[in-house]
Amino acid sequence: MIVFAVIIAVLILIMNLSVHVETKIQNKKFSIVIRLGKVRILKAPILKKTKKENKSTAKEKNKNDTVKPDKKLTVNDITFYFSSFRDILKDLQKLMRYSRKKIICNKLLLELTFGKEDAAQVGMMYGFIWAGIGNMLPLLQSMMIIKEHSITVVPLYNQECFSIVYEGNFRMKIHHIVVIGLKAFSYFIKHLKRFSKYNKKQKSNQNNKK
């Protein structure tokens, strides 16, 4: 009985901990640090250079690949995909409604520097960038609590350049993450079953026609 009580107490303590995610982009490198409470459990760069394939191996792969005939979409296919897409959007909206204001952003930093030879293009891009930021920031604030944010856009004239510096510090309670994960998994299984059932039905119809 005492052991069971200790296990429950430990689980409650763990579930009340927050997961901190620190992300950073600088000099074309993206790194991430994940902490459980104050304990760091992951620190790694994300973007790595991929090895280029040799032209000879690429040609061999293209030769070995068999050309599959294109499948023509029917009216039933279009109707099914449209309804499935609509249902997926509804499930995503449910997840967003549940996770709203449960993510806390302690710090959001964005520094964007760009330049063009043409001053007119720089002015247009500067306006477009701030218009995009003006639309995205309220959306983010409606989805999470942003305690501190700093956004800077620096236009440079008579030179071609582009650099971005980004820092974000996010945290979320573990029990919220567990609930969101379970909901997302259940939605994924539901749609996977629906697609597999539809594909089996289509194959059986094709076999019957033959």
Side-chain angles (χ1 to χ4, degrees):
M1 189 69 180
I2 296 175
V3 175
F4 180 73
V6 170
I7 293 173
I8 295 296
V10 171
L11 288 175
I12 292 172
L13 179 62
I14 292 174
M15 294 297 280
N16 283 326
L17 288 176
S18 297
V19 174
H20 296 255
V21 180
E22 300 175 9
T23 52
K24 187 174 182 180
I25 298 176
Q26 192 169 12
N27 298 328
K28 298 181 180 179
K29 293 181 180 178
F30 180 34
S31 62
I32 184 170
V33 177
I34 299 177
R35 288 187 175 89
L36 178 58
K38 294 184 179 180
V39 180
R40 188 175 69 190
I41 58 177
L42 177 65
K43 181 181 180 181
I46 300 300
L47 296 181
K48 294 183 179 180
K49 292 182 178 180
T50 56
K51 295 182 179 179
K52 293 183 179 179
E53 290 184 346
N54 295 328
K55 291 183 179 180
S56 59
T57 57
K59 287 181 180 179
E60 288 178 2
K61 286 184 179 180
N62 292 332
K63 289 179 180 178
N64 294 330
D65 290 339
T66 56
V67 179
K68 295 181 180 180
D70 295 334
K71 181 183 176 182
K72 293 182 179 179
L73 289 176
T74 63
V75 177
N76 291 332
D77 292 335
I78 295 172
T79 305
F80 172 76
Y81 291 137
F82 178 77
S83 62
S84 299
F85 179 72
R86 183 182 57 191
D87 292 340
I88 290 171
L89 284 180
K90 287 181 180 179
D91 290 338
L92 287 175
Q93 288 174 353
K94 291 177 184 177
L95 281 178
M96 289 178 67
R97 280 197 296 267
Y98 176 79
S99 61
R100 185 169 294 171
K101 298 297 183 180
K102 291 180 175 64
I103 302 173
I104 299 174
C105 177
N106 295 318
K107 181 182 178 182
L108 181 64
L109 170 67
L110 179 64
E111 295 179 4
L112 179 64
T113 304
F114 71 97
K116 285 283 185 181
E117 294 289 343
D118 190 354
Q121 289 185 359
V122 173
M124 290 177 62
M125 290 177 64
Y126 185 75
F128 284 136
I129 290 170
W130 272 116
I133 293 171
N135 289 324
M136 286 298 298
L137 189 59
L139 179 63
L140 290 174
Q141 289 174 333
S142 67
M143 294 172 60
M144 64 183 72
I145 298 172
I146 301 177
K147 291 187 174 181
E148 179 186 351
H149 71 274
S150 175
I151 299 174
T152 307
V153 180
V154 181
L156 299 177
Y157 300 92
N158 301 323
Q159 56 179 306
E160 295 278 344
C161 65
F162 181 82
S163 68
I164 183 169
V165 177
Y166 158 80
E167 287 186 29
N169 187 320
F170 304 90
R171 66 184 174 90
M172 192 176 188
K173 294 287 186 181
I174 291 182
H175 63 272
H176 293 320
I177 297 174
V178 172
V179 172
I180 291 172
L182 291 174
K183 286 178 178 287
F185 182 72
S186 65
Y187 294 150
F188 173 76
I189 294 298
K190 180 182 73 173
H191 294 296
L192 186 65
K193 287 181 178 179
R194 184 179 180 184
F195 273 90
S196 62
K197 184 178 179 181
Y198 180 77
N199 289 331
K200 287 180 181 178
K201 184 180 178 181
Q202 292 297 103
K203 287 181 180 179
S204 64
N205 290 337
Q206 289 177 358
N207 293 330
N208 291 333
K209 288 180 180 179
K210 291 179 180 179

